[in-house]
Amino acid sequence: MVNLARGTRDFLPDQAAARHAVIARLRTVFSRHGFEPLDTPAFERIETLTGKYGEEGQRLIFQILKRGEGGERGEVDLALRYDLTVHLARVVAMNPGLRMPFKRWQIAPVWRADRPAKGRFREFWQCDCDIVGSTEPLADASCLAVAADAFATLGFRQYTIRLNDRRLLSATARAAGVGADLEIGLFTAIDKLDKIGRDGVDRELAERGIDEAARARLWRILSITGDRDLVGGPHPRDAVVAGLREALAGVEAAGAALDEVVQVASLAEAMGVPSGVILLDPTLARGLDYYTGPIWEFEVEAPKVGSLGSGGRYDGLIGVFGKTAVPAVGTSFGLERIVLVMEEHGMLPARDDAPQVLVAVFDAANPEPAARAAAALRRRGIRADLYTGTAKLRNQLKYADAIGVSWVVIAGPGEAARGAVTLKNLGSGEQVEVPLVDLADRMVSHGITPVEQSPHPS
Amino acid sequence: MVNLARGTRDFLPDQAAARHAVIARLRTVFSRHGFEPLDTPAFERIETLTGKYGEEGQRLIFQILKRGEGGERGEVDLALRYDLTVHLARVVAMNPGLRMPFKRWQIAPVWRADRPAKGRFREFWQCDCDIVGSTEPLADASCLAVAADAFATLGFRQYTIRLNDRRLLSATARAAGVGADLEIGLFTAIDKLDKIGRDGVDRELAERGIDEAARARLWRILSITGDRDLVGGPHPRDAVVAGLREALAGVEAAGAALDEVVQVASLAEAMGVPSGVILLDPTLARGLDYYTGPIWEFEVEAPKVGSLGSGGRYDGLIGVFGKTAVPAVGTSFGLERIVLVMEEHGMLPARDDAPQVLVAVFDAANPEPAARAAAALRRRGIRADLYTGTAKLRNQLKYADAIGVSWVVIAGPGEAARGAVTLKNLGSGEQVEVPLVDLADRMVSHGITPVEQSPHPS
């Protein structure tokens, strides 16, 4: 029996339409915020991706066999897109004339050879907005503002933005007496707080060689937090700021980093992020090691699907293919999780692309009247499905019901001779003969909205 | 220096936006004709694609290395999408409950390891409409009708649909005295008529073992044609039909096939295909050997880019993964060629996603007034870019000019103290102070169209 590749899915019409509708809304929001579209290929030369995602990520890259002789020896030369950020870095390196700051969005599938699990797929879509070429907190805030607008436009009323900063995490490590050499291990462990809890993280920190006194100092700082599991409820942002300012007072540059995070949050609020949404959370770590400044994650309480997206500042990555460092900050949404949450909460928009009327074929030997009726409706911008099978009229009405249309046009030979068709409402059962030239207008008068006038020439 | 994988391209904002606009129009047309969206993964288990595209096609499939041990031995288990049709066949086999006839559209990239050349890429997009589960000529005609509407909606005024039928080609071979064993070779040779001309095809036919007398009979039939190169100008369809009817009179089933092709053409015209567009062309062969009935290609005179798309009936392919044959007919557009022709003829739509106004940052140390102004505009549905760099105001105005906006909002501290901003028109140079609460309305009164009201909560 034929089957899908592991970790991949088909999207049948209703699901595909829902995803398209969400993507369309995101695109509207992204361009409303001045981001511009960029499209990059699905695969890259393998050396472009190699060494960019850490050891763990490297193993998850899908590699493409060389064509010809090299392939016979098992050699690979291409790799499938793993995220959208490395591609952006390549585009920036290859297009020195790009206007800076360069604000781009990209919505595209990425592929990772992860072990498939509930909600985890090998093909999934990322929706990214990034600003390249600016170190200003206004750029970071812009990434939070576009995210908040996206959530609002999609109908999200309850979500939080957990905000932290890599420099604050480093300062926390310093203040606790953890050396710079253990820092990445520390971040990686803290990043698991949601999954393995405080005891699990503490055990991992001990295994990584952080002694008990340092761990106690660490937990004291991390408890100045918005994390529910640690303190029973989020602290107001001001309280977290004050607590951190005191706890990190002795660490160089911690105060400046804290000021900047606060500025990012308040600029984001000036740009429309609702107050109360942004929580300052010293326990937010983010696994990827390329972040250099503010970092964030978007979360909903229920259903528990992990973060809906995340982002942060990464001033070291974009320059990787060029000669100079290029600062950048960006935010990314996971389409699958967003659609999942919207589905569970009944937030998915109603389909606006499904047929509005079915034109039935009264006599399969003479379908021309039906063809003319369908053309008349489409010319007016009405979405008209024309039945192309051979079922009896009764079964065509069932088909109409199944595709969710309540209007059926029947073009029988009698009506055709009079230049007319029969218009039937499946709900009321009423039917009426209408001149073909009036058909489309009649549908519109019944509340069928034509979507876009077709400039169809005939 | 970092580079793209061979045969792939990036699409920078203007190009990406143009492609998105074309895709959006195609989607509107496809749903207006009752086709529904289907999305399938970018890769499949390799056995799903193996043996589906002939020897030539097989070599062009990108194969993905197994993860883990098998990969170390050079084993592959996945293959990149080569077209959209085999995926459709898999979906039909895996979803026995699908409502028939099943009308679906899919617009997606496919990948082929072809030698890159002008206009030929290794990643390109196909835009397909197919009807599965109907043998009716009305289904074939529906595929021509959706194509004609697509071309009209995109603004094409001059194009032709070359129409033929595989059964007529077979009948032609029979009438010329060519055996069934040489048939596929015959089709393959005739398919090259555009590229290598009559002499080239004749030579190839001779090499394939078709003798001079048979070739003479063949050319006599093929000259009853719409092909310009053979007869100096397309014949009216009726003349071609009459000529073929006479030439193929002795061949069984040729008359019925001819009747059906004529019916497809006239039903398509009843559905709005402009008269004169559909040419019956006995020389149209189409390389793929899975076609079983009517076949067609879409062409423009200039620029010479080959066909813009093609299609036909393929009653043997969809059932390949199941137990029963499932009839199908479909039409496919090549996005790249369509965009290329539209570009050359200045038909690409103006961007409708670019920023409408730039909010400048008067003082990088205090960007909050600018942030508030941007939020006010976006809340009203105006596409507002907010400058996030550190350039002087003068250079921000240049940036505004470069991104093509003619309105700049300047939020200086003086205006901010008065709850106002300065609105500057780059064209006239005029500038005026506007209360922030009136800013969005003022823009609208200046002819800036808000695209979609943002339900932004603040």
Side-chain angles (χ1 to χ4, degrees), chain A residues 424-452:
Chain A
K424 184 181 177 74
N425 184 288
L426 291 187
S428 66
E430 275 177 73
Q431 59 182 58
V432 58
E433 190 171 307
V434 180
L436 182 56
V437 292
D438 297 337
L439 174 63
D441 285 341
R442 186 68 66 94
M443 298 296 317
V444 173
S445 76
H446 280 302
I448 296 292
T449 319
V451 174
E452 191 181 304

PDB file of all heavy atoms in Angstrom, chain A residues 424-452:
ATOM      1  N   LYS A 424     -32.489  26.527  -7.797  1.00  0.00           N
ATOM      2  CA  LYS A 424     -33.104  25.797  -6.679  1.00  0.00           C
ATOM      3  C   LYS A 424     -32.344  26.092  -5.396  1.00  0.00           C
ATOM      4  O   LYS A 424     -31.111  26.047  -5.375  1.00  0.00           O
ATOM      5  CB  LYS A 424     -33.056  24.293  -6.980  1.00  0.00           C
ATOM      6  CG  LYS A 424     -33.759  23.416  -5.934  1.00  0.00           C
ATOM      7  CD  LYS A 424     -33.631  21.934  -6.322  1.00  0.00           C
ATOM      8  CE  LYS A 424     -34.241  21.025  -5.266  1.00  0.00           C
ATOM      9  NZ  LYS A 424     -35.722  21.036  -5.285  1.00  0.00           N
ATOM     10  N   ASN A 425     -33.100  26.369  -4.327  1.00  0.00           N
ATOM     11  CA  ASN A 425     -32.483  26.537  -3.017  1.00  0.00           C
ATOM     12  C   ASN A 425     -32.632  25.241  -2.237  1.00  0.00           C
ATOM     13  O   ASN A 425     -33.750  24.770  -2.003  1.00  0.00           O
ATOM     14  CB  ASN A 425     -33.136  27.691  -2.256  1.00  0.00           C
ATOM     15  CG  ASN A 425     -32.427  27.931  -0.923  1.00  0.00           C
ATOM     16  OD1 ASN A 425     -32.561  27.137   0.009  1.00  0.00           O
ATOM     17  ND2 ASN A 425     -31.672  29.008  -0.849  1.00  0.00           N
ATOM     18  N   LEU A 426     -31.510  24.655  -1.857  1.00  0.00           N
ATOM     19  CA  LEU A 426     -31.559  23.347  -1.202  1.00  0.00           C
ATOM     20  C   LEU A 426     -32.155  23.446   0.193  1.00  0.00           C
ATOM     21  O   LEU A 426     -32.727  22.479   0.692  1.00  0.00           O
ATOM     22  CB  LEU A 426     -30.159  22.732  -1.119  1.00  0.00           C
ATOM     23  CG  LEU A 426     -29.525  22.284  -2.434  1.00  0.00           C
ATOM     24  CD1 LEU A 426     -28.233  21.539  -2.165  1.00  0.00           C
ATOM     25  CD2 LEU A 426     -30.476  21.391  -3.228  1.00  0.00           C
ATOM     26  N   GLY A 427     -31.991  24.604   0.836  1.00  0.00           N
ATOM     27  CA  GLY A 427     -32.521  24.767   2.184  1.00  0.00           C
ATOM     28  C   GLY A 427     -34.040  24.755   2.186  1.00  0.00           C
ATOM     29  O   GLY A 427     -34.689  23.927   2.862  1.00  0.00           O
ATOM     30  N   SER A 428     -34.635  25.623   1.380  1.00  0.00           N
ATOM     31  CA  SER A 428     -36.093  25.750   1.366  1.00  0.00           C
ATOM     32  C   SER A 428     -36.759  24.803   0.390  1.00  0.00           C
ATOM     33  O   SER A 428     -37.953  24.554   0.467  1.00  0.00           O
ATOM     34  CB  SER A 428     -36.473  27.186   0.995  1.00  0.00           C
ATOM     35  OG  SER A 428     -36.067  27.449  -0.344  1.00  0.00           O
ATOM     36  N   GLY A 429     -35.961  24.278  -0.541  1.00  0.00           N
ATOM     37  CA  GLY A 429     -36.534  23.423  -1.568  1.00  0.00           C
ATOM     38  C   GLY A 429     -37.199  24.210  -2.684  1.00  0.00           C
ATOM     39  O   GLY A 429     -37.604  23.650  -3.698  1.00  0.00           O
ATOM     40  N   GLU A 430     -37.325  25.519  -2.514  1.00  0.00           N
ATOM     41  CA  GLU A 430     -37.959  26.342  -3.542  1.00  0.00           C
ATOM     42  C   GLU A 430     -37.151  26.344  -4.832  1.00  0.00           C
ATOM     43  O   GLU A 430     -35.913  26.348  -4.804  1.00  0.00           O
ATOM     44  CB  GLU A 430     -38.052  27.795  -3.054  1.00  0.00           C
ATOM     45  CG  GLU A 430     -39.282  28.073  -2.200  1.00  0.00           C
ATOM     46  CD  GLU A 430     -39.265  29.502  -1.704  1.00  0.00           C
ATOM     47  OE1 GLU A 430     -39.508  30.418  -2.511  1.00  0.00           O
ATOM     48  OE2 GLU A 430     -38.983  29.696  -0.497  1.00  0.00           O
ATOM     49  N   GLN A 431     -37.829  26.386  -5.950  1.00  0.00           N
ATOM     50  CA  GLN A 431     -37.113  26.560  -7.207  1.00  0.00           C
ATOM     51  C   GLN A 431     -37.897  27.470  -8.140  1.00  0.00           C
ATOM     52  O   GLN A 431     -39.120  27.532  -8.103  1.00  0.00           O
ATOM     53  CB  GLN A 431     -36.769  25.229  -7.856  1.00  0.00           C
ATOM     54  CG  GLN A 431     -37.938  24.320  -8.176  1.00  0.00           C
ATOM     55  CD  GLN A 431     -37.439  23.018  -8.768  1.00  0.00           C
ATOM     56  OE1 GLN A 431     -36.647  22.307  -8.136  1.00  0.00           O
ATOM     57  NE2 GLN A 431     -37.877  22.710  -9.976  1.00  0.00           N
ATOM     58  N   VAL A 432     -37.131  28.201  -8.958  1.00  0.00           N
ATOM     59  CA  VAL A 432     -37.747  29.220  -9.789  1.00  0.00           C
ATOM     60  C   VAL A 432     -36.986  29.288 -11.108  1.00  0.00           C
ATOM     61  O   VAL A 432     -35.770  29.069 -11.142  1.00  0.00           O
ATOM     62  CB  VAL A 432     -37.738  30.585  -9.057  1.00  0.00           C
ATOM     63  CG1 VAL A 432     -36.319  31.001  -8.689  1.00  0.00           C
ATOM     64  CG2 VAL A 432     -38.406  31.661  -9.880  1.00  0.00           C
ATOM     65  N   GLU A 433     -37.707  29.533 -12.192  1.00  0.00           N
ATOM     66  CA  GLU A 433     -37.041  29.669 -13.479  1.00  0.00           C
ATOM     67  C   GLU A 433     -36.551  31.106 -13.641  1.00  0.00           C
ATOM     68  O   GLU A 433     -37.278  32.058 -13.339  1.00  0.00           O
ATOM     69  CB  GLU A 433     -38.003  29.304 -14.613  1.00  0.00           C
ATOM     70  CG  GLU A 433     -37.290  29.181 -15.951  1.00  0.00           C
ATOM     71  CD  GLU A 433     -38.199  28.613 -17.048  1.00  0.00           C
ATOM     72  OE1 GLU A 433     -38.792  27.540 -16.826  1.00  0.00           O
ATOM     73  OE2 GLU A 433     -38.295  29.246 -18.120  1.00  0.00           O
ATOM     74  N   VAL A 434     -35.302  31.240 -14.086  1.00  0.00           N
ATOM     75  CA  VAL A 434     -34.669  32.555 -14.207  1.00  0.00           C
ATOM     76  C   VAL A 434     -34.053  32.663 -15.599  1.00  0.00           C
ATOM     77  O   VAL A 434     -33.374  31.727 -16.029  1.00  0.00           O
ATOM     78  CB  VAL A 434     -33.545  32.711 -13.151  1.00  0.00           C
ATOM     79  CG1 VAL A 434     -32.881  34.073 -13.259  1.00  0.00           C
ATOM     80  CG2 VAL A 434     -34.070  32.468 -11.755  1.00  0.00           C
ATOM     81  N   PRO A 435     -34.262  33.783 -16.301  1.00  0.00           N
ATOM     82  CA  PRO A 435     -33.553  33.945 -17.581  1.00  0.00           C
ATOM     83  C   PRO A 435     -32.040  33.886 -17.337  1.00  0.00           C
ATOM     84  O   PRO A 435     -31.557  34.454 -16.341  1.00  0.00           O
ATOM     85  CB  PRO A 435     -33.975  35.339 -18.044  1.00  0.00           C
ATOM     86  CG  PRO A 435     -35.249  35.631 -17.300  1.00  0.00           C
ATOM     87  CD  PRO A 435     -35.146  34.915 -16.000  1.00  0.00           C
ATOM     88  N   LEU A 436     -31.328  33.221 -18.229  1.00  0.00           N
ATOM     89  CA  LEU A 436     -29.887  33.046 -18.035  1.00  0.00           C
ATOM     90  C   LEU A 436     -29.187  34.393 -17.853  1.00  0.00           C
ATOM     91  O   LEU A 436     -28.281  34.520 -17.030  1.00  0.00           O
ATOM     92  CB  LEU A 436     -29.291  32.282 -19.229  1.00  0.00           C
ATOM     93  CG  LEU A 436     -27.796  31.972 -19.150  1.00  0.00           C
ATOM     94  CD1 LEU A 436     -27.446  31.192 -17.889  1.00  0.00           C
ATOM     95  CD2 LEU A 436     -27.331  31.190 -20.383  1.00  0.00           C
ATOM     96  N   VAL A 437     -29.635  35.410 -18.598  1.00  0.00           N
ATOM     97  CA  VAL A 437     -28.962  36.711 -18.498  1.00  0.00           C
ATOM     98  C   VAL A 437     -29.145  37.343 -17.120  1.00  0.00           C
ATOM     99  O   VAL A 437     -28.377  38.225 -16.741  1.00  0.00           O
ATOM    100  CB  VAL A 437     -29.454  37.712 -19.580  1.00  0.00           C
ATOM    101  CG1 VAL A 437     -29.002  37.256 -20.957  1.00  0.00           C
ATOM    102  CG2 VAL A 437     -30.960  37.877 -19.515  1.00  0.00           C
ATOM    103  N   ASP A 438     -30.162  36.904 -16.378  1.00  0.00           N
ATOM    104  CA  ASP A 438     -30.394  37.481 -15.052  1.00  0.00           C
ATOM    105  C   ASP A 438     -29.824  36.627 -13.922  1.00  0.00           C
ATOM    106  O   ASP A 438     -29.892  37.009 -12.755  1.00  0.00           O
ATOM    107  CB  ASP A 438     -31.907  37.647 -14.796  1.00  0.00           C
ATOM    108  CG  ASP A 438     -32.537  38.612 -15.779  1.00  0.00           C
ATOM    109  OD1 ASP A 438     -31.791  39.443 -16.320  1.00  0.00           O
ATOM    110  OD2 ASP A 438     -33.757  38.506 -16.013  1.00  0.00           O
ATOM    111  N   LEU A 439     -29.303  35.437 -14.291  1.00  0.00           N
ATOM    112  CA  LEU A 439     -28.949  34.448 -13.265  1.00  0.00           C
ATOM    113  C   LEU A 439     -27.967  35.007 -12.232  1.00  0.00           C
ATOM    114  O   LEU A 439     -28.191  34.916 -11.016  1.00  0.00           O
ATOM    115  CB  LEU A 439     -28.372  33.192 -13.941  1.00  0.00           C
ATOM    116  CG  LEU A 439     -27.821  32.130 -12.983  1.00  0.00           C
ATOM    117  CD1 LEU A 439     -28.932  31.579 -12.090  1.00  0.00           C
ATOM    118  CD2 LEU A 439     -27.142  31.001 -13.758  1.00  0.00           C
ATOM    119  N   ALA A 440     -26.861  35.587 -12.718  1.00  0.00           N
ATOM    120  CA  ALA A 440     -25.824  36.039 -11.787  1.00  0.00           C
ATOM    121  C   ALA A 440     -26.356  37.129 -10.868  1.00  0.00           C
ATOM    122  O   ALA A 440     -26.145  37.087  -9.649  1.00  0.00           O
ATOM    123  CB  ALA A 440     -24.603  36.534 -12.572  1.00  0.00           C
ATOM    124  N   ASP A 441     -27.087  38.082 -11.438  1.00  0.00           N
ATOM    125  CA  ASP A 441     -27.652  39.149 -10.608  1.00  0.00           C
ATOM    126  C   ASP A 441     -28.613  38.576  -9.566  1.00  0.00           C
ATOM    127  O   ASP A 441     -28.658  39.044  -8.433  1.00  0.00           O
ATOM    128  CB  ASP A 441     -28.391  40.181 -11.472  1.00  0.00           C
ATOM    129  CG  ASP A 441     -27.414  41.084 -12.217  1.00  0.00           C
ATOM    130  OD1 ASP A 441     -26.242  41.152 -11.791  1.00  0.00           O
ATOM    131  OD2 ASP A 441     -27.818  41.693 -13.219  1.00  0.00           O
ATOM    132  N   ARG A 442     -29.382  37.574  -9.990  1.00  0.00           N
ATOM    133  CA  ARG A 442     -30.326  36.970  -9.064  1.00  0.00           C
ATOM    134  C   ARG A 442     -29.586  36.339  -7.877  1.00  0.00           C
ATOM    135  O   ARG A 442     -29.989  36.483  -6.720  1.00  0.00           O
ATOM    136  CB  ARG A 442     -31.158  35.903  -9.796  1.00  0.00           C
ATOM    137  CG  ARG A 442     -32.277  35.297  -8.973  1.00  0.00           C
ATOM    138  CD  ARG A 442     -33.376  36.329  -8.678  1.00  0.00           C
ATOM    139  NE  ARG A 442     -34.067  36.739  -9.908  1.00  0.00           N
ATOM    140  CZ  ARG A 442     -35.199  36.176 -10.355  1.00  0.00           C
ATOM    141  NH1 ARG A 442     -35.794  35.235  -9.646  1.00  0.00           N
ATOM    142  NH2 ARG A 442     -35.747  36.564 -11.480  1.00  0.00           N
ATOM    143  N   MET A 443     -28.457  35.675  -8.168  1.00  0.00           N
ATOM    144  CA  MET A 443     -27.659  35.072  -7.098  1.00  0.00           C
ATOM    145  C   MET A 443     -27.163  36.155  -6.150  1.00  0.00           C
ATOM    146  O   MET A 443     -27.198  35.998  -4.934  1.00  0.00           O
ATOM    147  CB  MET A 443     -26.447  34.333  -7.672  1.00  0.00           C
ATOM    148  CG  MET A 443     -26.731  33.175  -8.603  1.00  0.00           C
ATOM    149  SD  MET A 443     -27.594  31.775  -7.848  1.00  0.00           S
ATOM    150  CE  MET A 443     -26.769  31.603  -6.318  1.00  0.00           C
ATOM    151  N   VAL A 444     -26.683  37.256  -6.719  1.00  0.00           N
ATOM    152  CA  VAL A 444     -26.165  38.344  -5.895  1.00  0.00           C
ATOM    153  C   VAL A 444     -27.287  38.906  -5.023  1.00  0.00           C
ATOM    154  O   VAL A 444     -27.092  39.190  -3.836  1.00  0.00           O
ATOM    155  CB  VAL A 444     -25.529  39.443  -6.768  1.00  0.00           C
ATOM    156  CG1 VAL A 444     -25.148  40.654  -5.928  1.00  0.00           C
ATOM    157  CG2 VAL A 444     -24.291  38.893  -7.488  1.00  0.00           C
ATOM    158  N   SER A 445     -28.473  39.029  -5.591  1.00  0.00           N
ATOM    159  CA  SER A 445     -29.588  39.569  -4.810  1.00  0.00           C
ATOM    160  C   SER A 445     -29.981  38.604  -3.699  1.00  0.00           C
ATOM    161  O   SER A 445     -30.603  38.995  -2.717  1.00  0.00           O
ATOM    162  CB  SER A 445     -30.785  39.868  -5.720  1.00  0.00           C
ATOM    163  OG  SER A 445     -31.431  38.661  -6.073  1.00  0.00           O
ATOM    164  N   HIS A 446     -29.602  37.325  -3.836  1.00  0.00           N
ATOM    165  CA  HIS A 446     -29.859  36.349  -2.771  1.00  0.00           C
ATOM    166  C   HIS A 446     -28.719  36.325  -1.755  1.00  0.00           C
ATOM    167  O   HIS A 446     -28.634  35.405  -0.952  1.00  0.00           O
ATOM    168  CB  HIS A 446     -30.048  34.945  -3.358  1.00  0.00           C
ATOM    169  CG  HIS A 446     -31.429  34.719  -3.927  1.00  0.00           C
ATOM    170  ND1 HIS A 446     -32.575  34.862  -3.169  1.00  0.00           N
ATOM    171  CD2 HIS A 446     -31.838  34.376  -5.169  1.00  0.00           C
ATOM    172  CE1 HIS A 446     -33.630  34.601  -3.925  1.00  0.00           C
ATOM    173  NE2 HIS A 446     -33.221  34.322  -5.144  1.00  0.00           N
ATOM    174  N   GLY A 447     -27.801  37.267  -1.846  1.00  0.00           N
ATOM    175  CA  GLY A 447     -26.771  37.361  -0.817  1.00  0.00           C
ATOM    176  C   GLY A 447     -25.472  36.645  -1.153  1.00  0.00           C
ATOM    177  O   GLY A 447     -24.585  36.532  -0.315  1.00  0.00           O
ATOM    178  N   ILE A 448     -25.364  36.125  -2.379  1.00  0.00           N
ATOM    179  CA  ILE A 448     -24.103  35.506  -2.808  1.00  0.00           C
ATOM    180  C   ILE A 448     -23.161  36.642  -3.220  1.00  0.00           C
ATOM    181  O   ILE A 448     -23.474  37.405  -4.131  1.00  0.00           O
ATOM    182  CB  ILE A 448     -24.344  34.564  -4.001  1.00  0.00           C
ATOM    183  CG1 ILE A 448     -25.252  33.404  -3.594  1.00  0.00           C
ATOM    184  CG2 ILE A 448     -23.023  34.051  -4.576  1.00  0.00           C
ATOM    185  CD1 ILE A 448     -24.640  32.430  -2.627  1.00  0.00           C
ATOM    186  N   THR A 449     -22.013  36.745  -2.532  1.00  0.00           N
ATOM    187  CA  THR A 449     -21.088  37.842  -2.803  1.00  0.00           C
ATOM    188  C   THR A 449     -20.095  37.461  -3.889  1.00  0.00           C
ATOM    189  O   THR A 449     -19.325  36.521  -3.709  1.00  0.00           O
ATOM    190  CB  THR A 449     -20.276  38.182  -1.532  1.00  0.00           C
ATOM    191  OG1 THR A 449     -21.153  38.134  -0.416  1.00  0.00           O
ATOM    192  CG2 THR A 449     -19.615  39.535  -1.658  1.00  0.00           C
ATOM    193  N   PRO A 450     -20.100  38.171  -5.009  1.00  0.00           N
ATOM    194  CA  PRO A 450     -19.063  37.890  -6.004  1.00  0.00           C
ATOM    195  C   PRO A 450     -17.719  38.353  -5.453  1.00  0.00           C
ATOM    196  O   PRO A 450     -17.629  39.429  -4.853  1.00  0.00           O
ATOM    197  CB  PRO A 450     -19.472  38.708  -7.223  1.00  0.00           C
ATOM    198  CG  PRO A 450     -20.426  39.720  -6.721  1.00  0.00           C
ATOM    199  CD  PRO A 450     -20.976  39.269  -5.414  1.00  0.00           C
ATOM    200  N   VAL A 451     -16.677  37.546  -5.634  1.00  0.00           N
ATOM    201  CA  VAL A 451     -15.408  37.857  -4.987  1.00  0.00           C
ATOM    202  C   VAL A 451     -14.602  38.871  -5.767  1.00  0.00           C
ATOM    203  O   VAL A 451     -14.105  39.833  -5.239  1.00  0.00           O
ATOM    204  CB  VAL A 451     -14.561  36.588  -4.785  1.00  0.00           C
ATOM    205  CG1 VAL A 451     -13.192  36.953  -4.260  1.00  0.00           C
ATOM    206  CG2 VAL A 451     -15.260  35.690  -3.804  1.00  0.00           C
ATOM    207  N   GLU A 452     -14.440  38.640  -7.016  1.00  0.00           N
ATOM    208  CA  GLU A 452     -13.590  39.529  -7.799  1.00  0.00           C
ATOM    209  C   GLU A 452     -14.089  39.436  -9.217  1.00  0.00           C
ATOM    210  O   GLU A 452     -14.264  38.349  -9.749  1.00  0.00           O
ATOM    211  CB  GLU A 452     -12.137  39.065  -7.721  1.00  0.00           C
ATOM    212  CG  GLU A 452     -11.157  40.060  -8.286  1.00  0.00           C
ATOM    213  CD  GLU A 452      -9.734  39.520  -8.186  1.00  0.00           C
ATOM    214  OE1 GLU A 452      -9.309  39.189  -7.073  1.00  0.00           O
ATOM    215  OE2 GLU A 452      -9.081  39.407  -9.221  1.00  0.00           O
TER     216      GLU A 452
END
